[in-house]
Amino acid sequence: MMPSNPPKTGPSGRTVRLYYTDATLREFRATVRDMRALSGEDGAEHPAVCLDRTAFYPTSGGQPYDTGTLEGIPVVEVLEDTTGEVWHLLETPGLAVGQTVCGLIDWQRRFDHMQQHTGQHLLSAAFEDAYAAHTIGFHLGVAASTIDLDIGGVGSPELSWDMAFAVEAAVNALVWQNRPINVMAVDEEEVSAIPLRKPPAVEGEVRVIWVEGYDASACGGTHVGATGEVGLIKITSLERYKGGTRVGFVCGGRALRHYQTSLHTLQSASLALSVGPDDLVPAITRLEDEAKALRRDVRRLRETALDDEAEKLWNSALAVDGVRTIVAHWVDRDFAEVRALAGRLRDRSGALLLFAVTEAGAGRLLVARSDDLGKFHAGAILRSALDELGGRGGGSATLAQGGTSSHSPDTLRAALQRAAQV
């Protein structure tokens, strides 16, 4: 049997944490004990108050803080300092030391955190029962939460989706049994008699979350009163992480929204492809095969078009002393295509190429030559053009390229022509 004594309050002189005894408390009255300015997670400095008692949960143990109001002033963050005091960061000043205030908890946020945190306890216990996979980390996020398991690393089996689905089915069956969840505080002597899932990380009095007949864990967070309040637990992702596996999951209201979003996506995809949801995978596979075939056709046609263009440029240039000087300029053309075109031409004998592309007002230049034209140096020719245009670039004796700032197409062509003449 588990001990049944209720949890005690915090150390004398510190804020009494009301959520320890009643996680469903939404409204309370307290007295302002201290005030100071503190920096929040937003990087800004906020007026902050310490109360004699509070129902606001501070960020701790992977669970985010509560929000709400104190005397109508929004509480934007709640944190615990190194001494164990709880500080409430306010949106605006307006409270005074000694003042009695009314606190209101944002219940929607609180209950969401309770569902996710209890769901994490159940999932962690289920993974440990099924695969001896221990939870080594937990994070409760805004949209989804994660637990990190020591399974899937070197020397341990990989956590597959079939394994995860088996755990998911088992843990949801437990949720629907609506088992009571008890919260208790035990001292160091009593804790040794409790079958905790893992040793407590604190000394002295330990707060235990006990899912009747299933799991006992030391935890300072807020939890629902029975497993049925979690509603539904859905695993959403599996990924390798730091030698183990990170499991993404959602519970309760988040699980409902996840299902609604997924269904909407499925329906939209089905409508776009004019098939039923069950036929989506074959339809997508067919589209992938068609896309691959089209990409092959496009590549083949592009290669053929470049071959034809290279032939036309070659035939349009006159050979002078065994050298065909080809000067060309394009607007808004893919520079990779220009390089491919130059490659086809410089493989021939006696080719000297001076190419330029104007894109968004800037110019890109390329100079290349055939291997048999050793008397020409592509880098030197490029530099002569760039010196005139005020650009930068470089390269080898056979291939060089560079860029320049805004110039008109006519200016670029004229600079290439002069470089060719030199």
Side-chain angles (χ1 to χ4, degrees):
M1 292 291 293
M2 300 293 294
S4 59
N5 55 303
K8 303 170 186 176
T9 59
S12 176
R14 294 184 188 165
T15 303
V16 176
R17 306 188 187 209
L18 301 173
Y19 55 82
Y20 275 169
T21 54
D22 185 3
T24 65
L25 184 64
R26 310 184 193 189
E27 182 175 355
F28 67 99
R29 299 194 71 79
T31 301
V32 178
R33 292 175 47 221
D34 197 2
M35 297 185 65
R36 65 178 60 168
L38 292 175
S39 294
E41 62 183 5
D42 59 1
E45 193 171 81
H46 294 269
V49 297
C50 178
L51 308 175
D52 64 339
R53 57 204 304 265
T54 186
F56 283 90
Y57 183 85
T59 299
S60 178
Q63 179 177 329
Y65 55 84
D66 286 326
T67 58
T69 62
L70 286 175
E71 283 299 297
I73 301 174
V75 176
V76 297
E77 187 178 348
V78 185
L79 54 85
E80 180 181 357
D81 66 17
T82 55
T83 69
E85 286 286 20
V86 178
W87 291 91
H88 308 71
L89 279 63
L90 306 177
E91 187 175 276
T92 59
L95 303 182
V97 173
Q99 179 180 353
T100 298
V101 295
C102 176
L104 294 175
I105 302 295
D106 181 340
W107 176 246
Q108 184 175 352
R109 178 181 171 94
R110 160 66 70 80
F111 186 65
D112 170 64
H113 290 174
M114 291 164 63
Q115 286 184 314
Q116 312 313 311
H117 204 159
T118 303
Q120 176 264 313
H121 278 225
L122 298 177
L123 263 182
S124 292
F127 273 114
E128 187 156 322
D129 285 349
Y131 309 116
H134 305 292
T135 295
I136 55 178
F138 162 59
H139 174 69
L140 201 166
V142 175
S145 302
T146 59
I147 55 175
D148 297 332
L149 303 174
D150 61 354
I151 186 174
V154 177
S156 67
E158 181 179 357
L159 180 62
S160 68
W161 271 105
D162 285 341
M163 295 166 66
F165 286 153
V167 166
E168 186 179 80
V171 78
N172 277 294
L174 186 79
V175 167
W176 302 329
Q177 291 171 15
N178 199 30
R179 297 194 183 194
I181 298 175
N182 298 309
V183 181
M184 58 204 68
V186 296
D187 58 32
E188 290 183 271
E189 293 181 1
E190 295 175 303
V191 76
S192 61
I194 301 174
L196 292 177
R197 182 158 30 92
K198 62 180 180 179
V202 297
E203 297 180 351
E205 187 177 85
V206 177
R207 184 170 182 261
V208 176
I209 309 301
W210 169 245
V211 181
E212 188 174 279
Y214 185 68
D215 179 61
S217 297
C219 179
T222 57
H223 293 270
V224 297
T227 60
E229 294 180 61
V230 176
L232 177 71
I233 299 175
K234 182 74 190 77
I235 295 175
T236 58
S237 65
L238 301 175
E239 62 175 308
R240 291 186 179 275
Y241 182 76
K242 291 186 177 180
T245 302
R246 171 162 285 182
V247 179
F249 69 96
V250 287
C251 302
R254 295 191 188 190
L256 174 61
R257 291 189 293 274
H258 181 271
Y259 173 75
Q260 291 170 332
T261 300
S262 299
L263 181 60
H264 178 71
T265 300
L266 190 66
Q267 291 171 331
S268 299
S270 297
L271 183 63
L273 297 179
S274 300
V275 297
D278 294 339
D279 297 323
L280 265 178
V281 173
I284 292 172
T285 301
R286 185 173 62 253
L287 284 176
E288 288 179 337
D289 293 339
E290 292 174 357
K292 289 178 182 177
L294 286 172
R295 286 194 292 269
R296 286 194 297 269
D297 290 343
V298 169
R299 283 196 297 270
R300 187 170 56 251
L301 290 172
R302 183 180 290 120
E303 296 293 322
T304 300
L306 286 173
D307 290 340
D308 291 343
E309 186 176 6
E311 190 65 27
K312 290 178 181 178
L313 287 172
W314 182 260
N315 293 331
S316 66
L318 296 176
V320 179
D321 295 331
V323 179
R324 291 179 188 255
T325 302
I326 303 175
V327 179
H329 171 269
W330 298 271
V331 176
D332 293 334
R333 184 171 188 178
D334 185 357
F335 199 69
E337 276 193 3
V338 174
R339 287 197 299 266
L341 186 60
R344 284 165 167 74
L345 290 166
R346 63 189 290 260
D347 285 341
R348 307 188 185 198
S349 298
L352 178 60
L353 315 172
L354 295 92
F355 292 166
V357 173
T358 300
E359 185 177 8
R364 300 186 68 180
L365 284 69
L366 180 147
V367 177
R369 66 159 173 84
S370 301
D371 290 338
D372 61 333
L373 295 183
K375 61 182 178 180
F376 296 106
H377 193 289
I381 296 173
L382 176 70
R383 281 194 296 274
S384 69
L386 291 176
D387 287 346
E388 178 181 339
L389 296 168
R392 300 178 64 184
S396 66
T398 58
L399 177 65
Q401 61 186 55
T404 182
S405 56
S406 179
H407 287 285
S408 69
D410 291 340
T411 302
L412 281 176
R413 278 192 292 266
L416 289 177
Q417 291 286 0
R418 283 189 287 273
Q421 291 170 3
V422 172

